[in-house]
């Protein structure tokens, strides 16, 4: 598995991973009609913009399999809500279902953490759906359950929970 920074040409494959992983991970959590309406084209445009307009503090990494196909990605940077304690954030981390539970998520997380530490950011937060079946991943990385908030996805009212790391160096010590 190869982890590298995303390039503009990755927008379509990132979009494919994003849409497919939402459909497999959130089936039964997010309404089916919302998942069915996810658009590869709109997500590709969104990721093209994200890659093109990322700041020096933001990063997007992709995971490629042995054939050079993008099978996962993660995006992160400064915390977006003004939290006084947690200064960095993983904005998104997704993997195609058949590549989950292979350590790729950990590798992508470590890439984000290393980048945050290089920027002098020593703490981090991530928000995930409370019913996300992969939620234990963040606990396995040493994330502390911090809080929850209500959100809307389409017509669905859902709960998101936050996991935080006060010292990102501790997360690196969990590296395999």
């Amino acid at each position: 598995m190869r982890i590298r920074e995303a390039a503009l040409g990755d927008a379509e494959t990132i979009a494919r991973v994003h849409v497919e992983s939402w459909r497999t991970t959130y089936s039964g959590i997010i309404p089916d009609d919302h998942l069915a309406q996810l658009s590869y084209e709109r997500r590709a445009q969104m990721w093209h913009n994200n890659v093109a307009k990322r700041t020096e503090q933001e990063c997007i990494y992709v995971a490629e399999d042995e054939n050079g196909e993008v099978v996962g990605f993660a995006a992160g940077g400064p915390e977006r809500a003004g939290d006084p304690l947690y200064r960095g954030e993983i904005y998104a981390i997704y993997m195609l279902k058949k590549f989950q539970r292979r350590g790729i998520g950990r590798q992508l997380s470590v890439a984000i953490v290393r980048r945050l530490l290089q920027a002098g950011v020593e703490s981090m937060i991530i928000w995930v759906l409370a019913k996300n079946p992969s939620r234990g991943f963040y606990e396995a990385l040493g994330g502390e359950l911090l809080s929850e908030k209500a959100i809307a996805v389409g017509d669905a009212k859902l709960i998101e929970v936050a996991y935080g790391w006060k010292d990102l160096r501790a997360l690196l010590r969990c590296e395999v």
Side-chain angles (χ1 to χ4, degrees):
M1 197 58 52
R2 177 177 174 229
I3 307 298
R4 64 169 174 79
E5 282 208 60
L8 277 176
D10 294 318
E12 287 184 12
T13 55
I14 292 171
R16 178 183 57 82
V17 170
H18 201 174
V19 169
E20 292 304 318
S21 61
W22 264 58
R23 288 180 176 159
T24 57
T25 302
Y26 300 138
S27 178
I29 299 169
I30 292 176
D32 291 340
D33 63 329
H34 184 83
L35 294 174
Q37 291 174 15
L38 293 175
S39 162
Y40 294 107
E41 294 78 18
R42 283 193 303 269
R43 291 289 168 141
Q45 185 59 53
M46 180 192 85
W47 282 107
H48 184 274
N49 291 340
N50 288 347
V51 172
K53 296 178 181 178
R54 67 186 156 196
T55 66
E56 193 172 306
Q57 294 81 33
E58 296 169 326
C59 54
I60 303 168
Y61 290 96
V62 295
E64 292 179 328
D65 69 6
E66 61 279 351
N67 299 316
E69 294 293 319
V70 172
V71 299
F73 74 93
E79 194 275 335
R80 299 174 287 187
D83 189 289
L85 182 57
Y86 298 93
R87 307 306 298 161
E89 182 175 355
I90 291 182
Y91 307 144
I93 182 167
Y94 292 102
M95 220 99 14
L96 293 175
K97 186 171 183 77
K98 74 179 194 173
F99 290 93
Q100 293 175 4
R101 301 195 166 284
R102 295 186 185 187
I104 302 167
R106 180 180 298 271
Q107 292 175 35
L108 286 165
S109 297
V110 165
I112 299 280
V113 165
R114 289 187 189 285
R115 182 70 169 269
L116 290 171
L117 286 169
Q118 286 173 356
V121 175
E122 298 180 356
S123 60
M124 177 180 78
I125 195 168
I126 186 168
W127 288 92
V128 300
L129 288 178
K131 291 185 178 180
N132 184 331
S134 300
R135 198 175 139 178
F137 167 74
Y138 307 105
E139 295 167 5
L141 286 180
E144 176 186 353
L145 184 60
L146 303 174
S147 63
E148 66 179 49
K149 66 181 177 183
I151 64 162
V153 176
D155 294 332
K157 305 285 189 248
L158 302 169
I159 301 294
E160 268 190 331
V161 294
Y163 286 94
W165 293 262
K166 290 179 186 166
D167 180 2
L168 290 178
R169 288 176 295 274
L171 190 148
L172 291 181
R173 287 191 289 274
C174 293
E175 238 185 307
V176 236

